[in-house]
Short mmCIF file of all heavy atoms in Angstrom, two decimals:
data_model
loop_
_atom_site.label_atom_id
_atom_site.label_comp_id
_atom_site.label_asym_id
_atom_site.label_seq_id
_atom_site.Cartn_x
_atom_site.Cartn_y
_atom_site.Cartn_z
N PRO N 217 -13.54 2.84 10.55
CA PRO N 217 -12.08 2.89 10.43
C PRO N 217 -11.63 4.28 9.99
O PRO N 217 -12.43 5.04 9.44
CB PRO N 217 -11.80 1.87 9.32
CG PRO N 217 -13.00 1.97 8.44
CD PRO N 217 -14.16 2.25 9.36
N GLN N 218 -10.37 4.59 10.22
CA GLN N 218 -9.80 5.82 9.65
C GLN N 218 -9.30 5.55 8.24
O GLN N 218 -9.27 6.44 7.40
CB GLN N 218 -8.66 6.33 10.52
CG GLN N 218 -9.16 6.85 11.85
CD GLN N 218 -8.04 7.36 12.73
OE1 GLN N 218 -6.93 7.62 12.26
NE2 GLN N 218 -8.32 7.49 14.00
N VAL N 219 -8.86 4.30 8.04
CA VAL N 219 -8.31 3.92 6.73
C VAL N 219 -9.09 2.71 6.22
O VAL N 219 -9.29 1.73 6.94
CB VAL N 219 -6.82 3.55 6.85
CG1 VAL N 219 -6.26 3.08 5.52
CG2 VAL N 219 -6.00 4.74 7.37
N LEU N 220 -9.56 2.81 4.97
CA LEU N 220 -10.27 1.70 4.34
C LEU N 220 -9.47 1.24 3.12
O LEU N 220 -9.16 2.05 2.24
CB LEU N 220 -11.68 2.14 3.93
CG LEU N 220 -12.55 1.11 3.22
CD1 LEU N 220 -12.77 -0.13 4.08
CD2 LEU N 220 -13.90 1.71 2.84
N LEU N 221 -9.14 -0.04 3.09
CA LEU N 221 -8.43 -0.61 1.95
C LEU N 221 -9.41 -1.45 1.15
O LEU N 221 -10.21 -2.19 1.72
CB LEU N 221 -7.28 -1.52 2.42
CG LEU N 221 -6.29 -0.95 3.44
CD1 LEU N 221 -5.21 -1.98 3.76
CD2 LEU N 221 -5.65 0.33 2.92
N MET N 222 -9.36 -1.32 -0.18
CA MET N 222 -10.27 -2.10 -1.02
C MET N 222 -9.44 -2.78 -2.11
O MET N 222 -8.70 -2.12 -2.84
CB MET N 222 -11.32 -1.18 -1.66
CG MET N 222 -12.13 -0.40 -0.64
SD MET N 222 -13.40 0.62 -1.42
CE MET N 222 -14.85 -0.21 -0.87
N ASP N 223 -9.57 -4.11 -2.19
CA ASP N 223 -8.81 -4.88 -3.18
C ASP N 223 -9.76 -5.39 -4.25
O ASP N 223 -10.53 -6.32 -4.01
CB ASP N 223 -8.10 -6.06 -2.49
CG ASP N 223 -7.04 -6.68 -3.40
OD1 ASP N 223 -6.96 -6.29 -4.58
OD2 ASP N 223 -6.32 -7.57 -2.93
N GLU N 224 -9.73 -4.76 -5.42
CA GLU N 224 -10.62 -5.10 -6.54
C GLU N 224 -12.06 -5.24 -6.04
O GLU N 224 -12.71 -6.27 -6.27
CB GLU N 224 -10.18 -6.44 -7.17
CG GLU N 224 -8.84 -6.41 -7.83
CD GLU N 224 -8.87 -5.72 -9.19
OE1 GLU N 224 -9.95 -5.32 -9.63
OE2 GLU N 224 -7.79 -5.57 -9.77
N PRO N 225 -12.59 -4.22 -5.37
CA PRO N 225 -13.86 -4.42 -4.67
C PRO N 225 -15.06 -4.65 -5.58
O PRO N 225 -16.05 -5.21 -5.14
CB PRO N 225 -14.03 -3.11 -3.88
CG PRO N 225 -13.25 -2.09 -4.64
CD PRO N 225 -12.07 -2.84 -5.21
N PHE N 226 -14.97 -4.22 -6.85
CA PHE N 226 -16.17 -4.32 -7.70
C PHE N 226 -15.94 -5.26 -8.88
O PHE N 226 -16.69 -5.23 -9.85
CB PHE N 226 -16.56 -2.92 -8.21
CG PHE N 226 -16.54 -1.88 -7.13
CD1 PHE N 226 -15.94 -0.66 -7.34
CD2 PHE N 226 -17.10 -2.15 -5.89
CE1 PHE N 226 -15.91 0.30 -6.33
CE2 PHE N 226 -17.08 -1.20 -4.87
CZ PHE N 226 -16.48 0.02 -5.09
N ALA N 227 -14.90 -6.08 -8.80
CA ALA N 227 -14.56 -6.93 -9.94
C ALA N 227 -15.56 -8.06 -10.16
O ALA N 227 -15.63 -8.63 -11.23
CB ALA N 227 -13.15 -7.50 -9.76
N SER N 228 -16.36 -8.38 -9.13
CA SER N 228 -17.27 -9.53 -9.26
C SER N 228 -18.72 -9.12 -9.52
O SER N 228 -19.60 -9.94 -9.38
CB SER N 228 -17.24 -10.38 -7.98
OG SER N 228 -15.94 -10.80 -7.72
N VAL N 229 -18.95 -7.86 -9.86
CA VAL N 229 -20.34 -7.45 -10.10
C VAL N 229 -20.50 -6.93 -11.53
O VAL N 229 -19.51 -6.62 -12.21
CB VAL N 229 -20.81 -6.37 -9.08
CG1 VAL N 229 -20.79 -6.91 -7.66
CG2 VAL N 229 -19.95 -5.11 -9.18
N ASP N 230 -21.75 -6.84 -11.99
CA ASP N 230 -21.99 -6.40 -13.36
C ASP N 230 -21.71 -4.89 -13.51
O ASP N 230 -21.56 -4.17 -12.52
CB ASP N 230 -23.44 -6.71 -13.76
CG ASP N 230 -24.42 -5.96 -12.90
OD1 ASP N 230 -24.71 -4.79 -13.21
OD2 ASP N 230 -24.87 -6.51 -11.88
N ALA N 231 -21.66 -4.44 -14.78
CA ALA N 231 -21.19 -3.07 -15.06
C ALA N 231 -22.05 -1.99 -14.39
O ALA N 231 -21.52 -1.02 -13.85
CB ALA N 231 -21.14 -2.85 -16.57
N GLN N 232 -23.38 -2.16 -14.42
CA GLN N 232 -24.23 -1.12 -13.83
C GLN N 232 -24.06 -1.08 -12.31
O GLN N 232 -23.95 -0.01 -11.71
CB GLN N 232 -25.71 -1.38 -14.20
CG GLN N 232 -26.66 -0.32 -13.69
CD GLN N 232 -26.24 1.11 -14.09
OE1 GLN N 232 -25.97 1.37 -15.26
NE2 GLN N 232 -26.15 2.01 -13.12
N THR N 233 -23.99 -2.28 -11.68
CA THR N 233 -23.80 -2.33 -10.23
C THR N 233 -22.45 -1.73 -9.88
O THR N 233 -22.30 -1.03 -8.88
CB THR N 233 -23.87 -3.80 -9.75
OG1 THR N 233 -25.11 -4.34 -10.19
CG2 THR N 233 -23.78 -3.90 -8.24
N ARG N 234 -21.47 -2.00 -10.72
CA ARG N 234 -20.13 -1.46 -10.49
C ARG N 234 -20.17 0.07 -10.48
O ARG N 234 -19.61 0.71 -9.58
CB ARG N 234 -19.22 -1.96 -11.61
CG ARG N 234 -17.81 -1.55 -11.45
CD ARG N 234 -16.94 -2.20 -12.51
NE ARG N 234 -15.57 -2.05 -12.11
CZ ARG N 234 -14.65 -3.00 -12.14
NH1 ARG N 234 -14.94 -4.19 -12.56
NH2 ARG N 234 -13.43 -2.77 -11.74
N ALA N 235 -20.86 0.65 -11.45
CA ALA N 235 -20.96 2.11 -11.51
C ALA N 235 -21.66 2.63 -10.25
O ALA N 235 -21.24 3.64 -9.67
CB ALA N 235 -21.71 2.54 -12.77
N ASP N 236 -22.72 1.94 -9.82
CA ASP N 236 -23.45 2.37 -8.60
C ASP N 236 -22.54 2.31 -7.38
O ASP N 236 -22.54 3.20 -6.54
CB ASP N 236 -24.67 1.48 -8.35
CG ASP N 236 -25.75 1.66 -9.41
OD1 ASP N 236 -25.70 2.67 -10.15
OD2 ASP N 236 -26.64 0.79 -9.50
N LEU N 237 -21.74 1.23 -7.30
CA LEU N 237 -20.85 1.07 -6.14
C LEU N 237 -19.72 2.09 -6.17
O LEU N 237 -19.30 2.61 -5.14
CB LEU N 237 -20.30 -0.36 -6.07
CG LEU N 237 -21.33 -1.44 -5.70
CD1 LEU N 237 -20.72 -2.83 -5.83
CD2 LEU N 237 -21.87 -1.26 -4.29
N GLU N 238 -19.23 2.41 -7.39
CA GLU N 238 -18.21 3.47 -7.50
C GLU N 238 -18.77 4.78 -6.95
O GLU N 238 -18.10 5.49 -6.19
CB GLU N 238 -17.80 3.66 -8.97
CG GLU N 238 -16.92 2.56 -9.51
CD GLU N 238 -16.70 2.66 -11.01
OE1 GLU N 238 -17.20 3.62 -11.65
OE2 GLU N 238 -16.03 1.78 -11.56
N ASP N 239 -20.01 5.09 -7.35
CA ASP N 239 -20.62 6.35 -6.88
C ASP N 239 -20.83 6.32 -5.37
O ASP N 239 -20.69 7.35 -4.70
CB ASP N 239 -21.94 6.61 -7.62
CG ASP N 239 -21.69 7.03 -9.06
OD1 ASP N 239 -20.57 7.50 -9.36
OD2 ASP N 239 -22.59 6.86 -9.90
N LEU N 240 -21.16 5.14 -4.85
CA LEU N 240 -21.31 5.01 -3.40
C LEU N 240 -19.99 5.34 -2.70
O LEU N 240 -19.95 6.10 -1.72
CB LEU N 240 -21.75 3.58 -3.07
CG LEU N 240 -21.76 3.20 -1.60
CD1 LEU N 240 -22.88 3.92 -0.87
CD2 LEU N 240 -21.92 1.69 -1.44
N VAL N 241 -18.90 4.82 -3.22
CA VAL N 241 -17.58 5.05 -2.61
C VAL N 241 -17.18 6.52 -2.74
O VAL N 241 -16.68 7.12 -1.79
CB VAL N 241 -16.52 4.11 -3.22
CG1 VAL N 241 -15.12 4.52 -2.83
CG2 VAL N 241 -16.80 2.68 -2.78
N VAL N 242 -17.46 7.13 -3.90
CA VAL N 242 -17.16 8.56 -4.08
C VAL N 242 -17.93 9.36 -3.03
O VAL N 242 -17.39 10.27 -2.39
CB VAL N 242 -17.56 9.02 -5.50
CG1 VAL N 242 -17.59 10.54 -5.62
CG2 VAL N 242 -16.59 8.45 -6.54
N ARG N 243 -19.21 9.01 -2.81
CA ARG N 243 -20.03 9.77 -1.85
C ARG N 243 -19.51 9.57 -0.42
O ARG N 243 -19.34 10.55 0.33
CB ARG N 243 -21.49 9.29 -1.95
CG ARG N 243 -22.43 10.03 -0.99
CD ARG N 243 -23.88 9.72 -1.26
NE ARG N 243 -24.24 8.32 -1.14
CZ ARG N 243 -24.35 7.67 0.02
NH1 ARG N 243 -24.11 8.28 1.16
NH2 ARG N 243 -24.69 6.39 0.04
N ILE N 244 -19.21 8.32 -0.06
CA ILE N 244 -18.72 8.06 1.30
C ILE N 244 -17.40 8.80 1.54
O ILE N 244 -17.19 9.42 2.58
CB ILE N 244 -18.54 6.54 1.52
CG1 ILE N 244 -19.90 5.86 1.59
CG2 ILE N 244 -17.75 6.26 2.80
CD1 ILE N 244 -19.85 4.35 1.48
N ALA N 245 -16.52 8.77 0.54
CA ALA N 245 -15.21 9.44 0.69
C ALA N 245 -15.40 10.94 0.85
O ALA N 245 -14.72 11.59 1.63
CB ALA N 245 -14.32 9.12 -0.50
N ALA N 246 -16.38 11.51 0.11
CA ALA N 246 -16.60 12.96 0.19
C ALA N 246 -17.23 13.36 1.52
O ALA N 246 -16.96 14.44 2.03
CB ALA N 246 -17.49 13.40 -0.98
N GLU N 247 -18.08 12.49 2.06
CA GLU N 247 -18.82 12.84 3.28
C GLU N 247 -18.03 12.61 4.56
O GLU N 247 -18.41 13.06 5.62
CB GLU N 247 -20.13 12.03 3.35
CG GLU N 247 -21.17 12.49 2.36
CD GLU N 247 -22.38 11.59 2.30
OE1 GLU N 247 -22.44 10.59 3.05
OE2 GLU N 247 -23.27 11.89 1.49
N SER N 248 -16.94 11.82 4.46
CA SER N 248 -16.21 11.49 5.68
C SER N 248 -14.74 11.89 5.50
O SER N 248 -14.34 12.32 4.43
CB SER N 248 -16.30 9.99 5.94
OG SER N 248 -15.64 9.31 4.90
N ARG N 249 -13.98 11.72 6.54
CA ARG N 249 -12.53 11.98 6.42
C ARG N 249 -11.79 10.66 6.17
O ARG N 249 -10.61 10.51 6.46
CB ARG N 249 -12.01 12.63 7.71
CG ARG N 249 -12.51 14.03 7.89
CD ARG N 249 -11.46 15.07 7.53
NE ARG N 249 -10.30 15.03 8.41
CZ ARG N 249 -9.10 15.50 8.09
NH1 ARG N 249 -8.90 15.99 6.89
NH2 ARG N 249 -8.11 15.46 8.95
N LEU N 250 -12.54 9.68 5.67
CA LEU N 250 -11.98 8.35 5.44
C LEU N 250 -10.81 8.43 4.44
O LEU N 250 -10.91 9.09 3.41
CB LEU N 250 -13.08 7.48 4.87
CG LEU N 250 -12.95 5.97 4.91
CD1 LEU N 250 -12.78 5.48 6.34
CD2 LEU N 250 -14.21 5.34 4.30
N THR N 251 -9.74 7.73 4.76
CA THR N 251 -8.61 7.61 3.84
C THR N 251 -8.78 6.29 3.10
O THR N 251 -9.01 5.25 3.73
CB THR N 251 -7.30 7.59 4.64
OG1 THR N 251 -7.24 8.78 5.43
CG2 THR N 251 -6.09 7.51 3.72
N LEU N 252 -8.70 6.34 1.79
CA LEU N 252 -8.99 5.14 1.00
C LEU N 252 -7.81 4.74 0.12
O LEU N 252 -7.21 5.60 -0.55
CB LEU N 252 -10.14 5.44 0.05
CG LEU N 252 -11.55 5.13 0.51
CD1 LEU N 252 -12.54 5.81 -0.42
CD2 LEU N 252 -11.78 3.63 0.46
N MET N 253 -7.49 3.46 0.13
CA MET N 253 -6.51 2.92 -0.83
C MET N 253 -7.23 1.81 -1.59
O MET N 253 -7.71 0.85 -0.99
CB MET N 253 -5.30 2.36 -0.07
CG MET N 253 -4.25 1.75 -0.95
SD MET N 253 -2.84 1.25 0.10
CE MET N 253 -1.89 0.30 -1.06
N VAL N 254 -7.34 1.99 -2.90
CA VAL N 254 -8.13 1.07 -3.72
C VAL N 254 -7.23 0.43 -4.77
O VAL N 254 -6.59 1.13 -5.57
CB VAL N 254 -9.29 1.81 -4.45
CG1 VAL N 254 -10.15 0.84 -5.24
CG2 VAL N 254 -10.14 2.60 -3.47
N VAL N 255 -7.15 -0.88 -4.77
CA VAL N 255 -6.42 -1.61 -5.80
C VAL N 255 -7.43 -2.01 -6.88
O VAL N 255 -8.48 -2.57 -6.57
CB VAL N 255 -5.76 -2.88 -5.20
CG1 VAL N 255 -5.40 -3.88 -6.28
CG2 VAL N 255 -4.52 -2.49 -4.41
N THR N 256 -7.13 -1.67 -8.12
CA THR N 256 -8.06 -2.03 -9.20
C THR N 256 -7.31 -2.29 -10.50
O THR N 256 -6.24 -1.74 -10.74
CB THR N 256 -9.13 -0.93 -9.40
OG1 THR N 256 -9.95 -1.28 -10.52
CG2 THR N 256 -8.55 0.45 -9.63
N HIS N 257 -7.91 -3.15 -11.35
CA HIS N 257 -7.39 -3.38 -12.70
C HIS N 257 -7.90 -2.32 -13.66
O HIS N 257 -7.40 -2.18 -14.76
CB HIS N 257 -7.96 -4.70 -13.25
CG HIS N 257 -7.20 -5.90 -12.87
ND1 HIS N 257 -7.68 -6.82 -11.99
CD2 HIS N 257 -5.99 -6.34 -13.27
CE1 HIS N 257 -6.79 -7.78 -11.86
NE2 HIS N 257 -5.76 -7.51 -12.62
N ASP N 258 -8.98 -1.65 -13.23
CA ASP N 258 -9.76 -0.84 -14.14
C ASP N 258 -9.27 0.61 -14.11
O ASP N 258 -9.43 1.32 -13.12
CB ASP N 258 -11.23 -0.94 -13.69
CG ASP N 258 -12.17 -0.27 -14.66
OD1 ASP N 258 -11.83 0.80 -15.18
OD2 ASP N 258 -13.26 -0.83 -14.88
N ILE N 259 -8.66 1.04 -15.23
CA ILE N 259 -8.05 2.37 -15.27
C ILE N 259 -9.11 3.46 -15.14
O ILE N 259 -8.92 4.44 -14.41
CB ILE N 259 -7.23 2.52 -16.57
CG1 ILE N 259 -6.08 1.51 -16.58
CG2 ILE N 259 -6.70 3.95 -16.73
CD1 ILE N 259 -5.38 1.38 -17.90
N ASP N 260 -10.26 3.30 -15.82
CA ASP N 260 -11.33 4.29 -15.71
C ASP N 260 -11.77 4.43 -14.25
O ASP N 260 -11.99 5.53 -13.76
CB ASP N 260 -12.55 3.87 -16.55
CG ASP N 260 -12.31 4.09 -18.03
OD1 ASP N 260 -11.14 4.14 -18.43
OD2 ASP N 260 -13.29 4.20 -18.78
N GLU N 261 -11.90 3.28 -13.59
CA GLU N 261 -12.34 3.30 -12.20
C GLU N 261 -11.32 4.04 -11.32
O GLU N 261 -11.68 4.83 -10.44
CB GLU N 261 -12.51 1.86 -11.71
CG GLU N 261 -13.00 1.73 -10.29
CD GLU N 261 -13.44 0.31 -10.03
OE1 GLU N 261 -14.57 -0.04 -10.41
OE2 GLU N 261 -12.64 -0.47 -9.49
#
Side-chain angles (χ1 to χ4, degrees):
Q218 290 180 17
V219 177
L220 178 60
L221 308 182
M222 303 182 112
D223 194 354
E224 295 283 358
F226 315 134
S228 303
V229 297
D230 63 85
Q232 183 53 50
T233 305
R234 183 174 194 135
D236 292 344
L237 290 173
E238 286 172 1
D239 287 339
L240 171 70
V241 168
V242 166
R243 180 171 60 74
I244 289 167
E247 287 173 1
S248 64
R249 290 258 296 158
L250 198 58
T251 303
L252 267 167
M253 179 176 170
V254 183
V255 161
T256 175
H257 274 109
D258 187 320
I259 297 169
D260 285 23
E261 182 167 279

